[in-house]
Amino acid sequence: MSQIDQVLAFNRNYVNAKGYEPHLTDKFPDKKLAVVSCMDTRLSVLLQDALGLKNGDAKIIKNAGAVIPSPWDSAMRSLIVAVYELGVQEIMIVAHTSCGACHMHFSHFREEMLGRGIPESALERKDVDLEAWLEGFHDTEASVRRTVAAVKEHPLIPSDVSVRGFIIDSATGELTEVE
């Protein structure tokens, strides 16, 4: 049985047993908070636990590296929706220690893609700079500062929204603010 089929079987039992009931809430974040964080699996439960967040407290937006590489990407769009549609007043950017995105290089992805049968022509795009798009960052604190600045300086984010950056220890959950 595939992993997806196992998940579907679990889900049927979960719904039948009404396992969802303790998590019922609405779409509005109770703490008027949005968190942009990394998709790293070590943060799946640790992030909310270490921040003292329960289901319904905050909008959690995850991507590779907790970055906003473009002012018009999906993470920024989600933040704008969170501010104007869902009442978010504070935004936390939370990167983490030992992040794989800190060591990403397009050359690695390129070789992996070619090895998996992606044609060279697909890597020679005119509409996007794949090298920049798939390049990681090499300094976590600097990446957090860039992301905080990208949100604060975005023309559609009002100045009354507080934006702060942090690095969470991916083992202990300890937060360190990045100034």
Side-chain angles (χ1 to χ4, degrees), residues 6-168:
Q6 289 177 37
V7 166
L8 292 173
F10 177 88
N11 179 259
R12 281 189 292 278
N13 292 332
Y14 177 85
V15 172
N16 288 337
K18 298 187 183 206
Y20 56 84
E21 287 181 344
H23 308 292
L24 291 173
T25 188
D26 63 25
K27 69 180 184 176
F28 298 97
D30 293 335
K31 295 185 183 268
K32 299 185 183 322
L33 175 68
V35 179
V36 176
S37 190
C38 186
M39 65 183 195
D40 191 294
T41 55
R42 293 171 288 183
L43 303 182
S44 293
V45 175
L46 178 66
L47 179 72
Q48 283 90 322
D49 283 356
L51 275 56
L53 300 175
K54 67 181 186 338
N55 196 50
D57 280 346
K59 292 300 178 185
I60 309 291
I61 301 160
K62 293 190 169 205
N63 65 22
V67 298
I68 297 181
S70 159
W72 308 107
D73 72 1
S74 65
M76 196 65 233
R77 179 177 182 266
S78 295
L79 287 174
I80 290 166
V81 169
V83 167
Y84 290 103
E85 182 67 19
L86 304 171
V88 161
Q89 297 172 352
E90 295 181 84
I91 298 170
M92 292 178 74
I93 308 300
V94 184
H96 67 98
T97 58
S98 305
C99 184
C102 191
H103 306 290
M104 289 185 340
H105 295 285
F106 174 69
S107 58
H108 166 76
F109 288 109
R110 183 180 189 288
E111 294 307 312
E112 290 288 320
M113 290 173 184
L114 292 172
R116 300 275 302 265
I118 302 299
E120 180 83 36
S121 60
L123 301 177
E124 298 167 359
R125 304 195 54 96
K126 302 259 190 267
D127 58 333
V128 66
D129 178 356
L130 283 179
E131 189 165 342
W133 190 64
L134 285 172
E135 188 70 19
F137 52 86
H138 307 293
D139 178 334
T140 305
E141 285 187 22
S143 177
V144 170
R145 282 188 201 96
R146 275 191 305 276
T147 302
V148 167
V151 176
K152 281 183 173 181
E153 296 167 8
H154 196 282
L156 302 180
I157 294 291
S159 60
D160 64 345
V161 172
S162 174
V163 184
R164 293 167 63 187
F166 302 86
I167 297 173
I168 190 170

